[in-house]
Amino acid sequence: GASSSSDSPLNGKKIGATIVYKGDEWCSMVDEECVKQAKEFGCEITVHDGDLDAETQTTQIENFISQGVDMIFVDPATPEGCLTALEKAEEAEIPVVVFDSYVTGFEPVSTIAWDNALTGKLMGDYCKEYIEKELDGKANIVVLTMAQSTHCLEREAAFKEVMATIPGVNIVSTQDCEGNREKGANAIANIKEDIDIVYSVVDNGAWGAVSALEARNAKGTKVVSSGAYGAEPFEALKENHPYYMACVVVPPAELVRQTYLAAEKYLKGEEVEKNINIDISVADSKNVDEFWD
């Protein structure tokens, strides 16, 4: 666990954090963890909502600099969007830790993330097994993507790569749910073909799809997602939900903990790994108890 706050070099430090989008349930849990774990390390953190917008995040980082924070945590909407602001932080000698995604053209103290392409591959492999075992190797699939996010596009590409190895799979449609339940629901409602699987890069899209399938009583269609956490998905899996079948689990607490530990190491003058990927895995009704008590 974390060292007690009094002997942590983070004790008494002020941290400014910008998070990609608080409207996403997973991101709001990251926000909660940032605040909760700050108490363990004895530091103060302010977490702002980047609202999927590089300009908003640039302003937030510039404000943190002028407030004289000791450290900045950045969960960037795009790899290059905040470059000028990050360079200003460097000039002001404020260390930056990047988490949840990555930046290009700037060297942070460390980047704490997970392999986004792997979330698509893991769910692709899971669906491949399901299609071969349960559907005789044939399936109509709808993909709900999120074009605004580089890492969501990586998930989509990796999932489709696995699907391309199954001759009987037909990707009927790829729609942008914009990380939004209503748009996810509308995308599914507008598709006339029979669907076997809906794959969403984010959980909001998946739950939008679930509501549309429930509305048309489309029994037999399964929904999976490449990133979920919390009561809603886990309880659904526990209860063997008729539509929601599986999700990739990315634990927010672990992501945040590694971010603080990297900051702590840096302040101790120790060497910090440049890239730290946390472990991820697929949860379904069979193993959900490992993730949710």
Side-chain angles (χ1 to χ4, degrees):
S3 48
S4 72
S5 60
S6 56
D7 61 3
S8 169
L10 281 165
N11 190 30
K13 295 279 192 277
K14 283 190 169 58
I15 300 172
T18 171
I19 205 161
V20 65
Y21 178 49
K22 282 189 191 179
D24 177 83
E25 190 192 16
W26 184 87
C27 289
S28 72
M29 292 180 103
V30 170
D31 173 22
E32 281 167 34
E33 283 295 334
C34 284
V35 175
K36 194 164 98 184
Q37 294 185 36
K39 295 187 182 78
E40 286 176 45
F41 289 97
C43 54
E44 271 178 56
I45 193 164
T46 306
V47 186
H48 286 325
D49 185 353
D51 206 23
L52 288 170
D53 184 69
E55 274 177 52
T56 303
Q57 289 193 301
T58 295
T59 307
Q60 288 166 350
I61 294 164
E62 286 169 351
N63 289 342
F64 289 142
I65 296 166
S66 61
Q67 287 155 17
V69 299
D70 300 295
M71 210 154 203
I72 297 173
F73 293 169
V74 180
D75 173 5
T78 62
E80 286 142 13
C82 305
L83 211 49
T84 50
L86 294 173
E87 283 160 0
K88 285 178 191 166
E90 195 168 43
E91 280 161 34
E93 293 180 359
I94 300 169
V96 173
V97 181
V98 170
F99 69 107
D100 180 31
S101 189
Y102 62 93
V103 294
T104 48
F106 176 82
E107 182 112 339
V109 167
S110 185
T111 298
I112 321 292
W114 68 92
D115 184 335
N116 270 284
L118 183 60
T119 70
K121 185 187 180 320
L122 286 172
M123 195 44 82
D125 291 344
Y126 181 90
C127 288
K128 180 174 183 165
E129 193 179 320
Y130 173 78
I131 292 162
E132 285 169 353
K133 275 190 178 162
E134 306 293 329
L135 305 175
D136 297 328
K138 292 183 203 55
N140 279 348
I141 297 181
V142 173
V143 174
L144 296 178
T145 190
M146 191 166 148
Q148 222 170 338
S149 153
T150 325
H151 41 282
C152 285
L153 294 176
E154 288 172 16
R155 298 172 197 179
E156 176 197 345
F159 177 83
K160 285 180 170 174
E161 223 166 275
V162 180
M163 290 305 104
T165 66
I166 319 168
V169 161
N170 174 25
I171 294 179
V172 174
S173 176
T174 301
Q175 305 273 339
D176 190 351
C177 69
E178 296 174 35
N180 177 307
R181 292 186 181 214
E182 208 179 321
K183 295 205 165 84
N186 291 343
I188 299 304
N190 291 331
I191 290 162
K192 299 293 172 263
E193 289 96 331
D194 284 338
I195 309 165
D196 297 296
I197 297 171
V198 177
Y199 164 71
S200 177
V201 294
V202 289
D203 219 37
N204 267 344
W207 286 104
V210 166
S211 64
L213 293 166
E214 283 172 341
R216 69 159 140 172
N217 198 16
K219 288 198 175 75
T221 306
K222 299 296 182 190
V223 179
V224 297
S225 108
S226 244
Y229 202 86
E232 186 175 31
F234 292 154
E235 294 298 333
L237 295 177
K238 253 191 148 102
E239 289 158 17
N240 221 333
H241 193 283
Y243 297 102
Y244 190 86
M245 179 168 70
C247 61
V248 176
V249 178
V250 181
E254 185 58 17
L255 181 78
V256 172
R257 201 176 87 85
Q258 293 297 336
T259 304
Y260 277 115
L261 289 175
E264 191 176 54
K265 256 187 165 170
Y266 173 83
L267 293 174
K268 281 180 179 163
E270 294 172 12
E271 202 175 313
V272 189
E273 274 182 75
K274 282 293 167 210
N275 289 291
I276 298 165
N277 270 344
I278 66 167
D279 288 339
I280 57 176
S281 45
V282 173
D284 64 8
S285 61
K286 293 183 201 73
N287 69 347
V288 66
D289 292 343
E290 292 169 29
F291 308 100
W292 195 246
D293 47 28

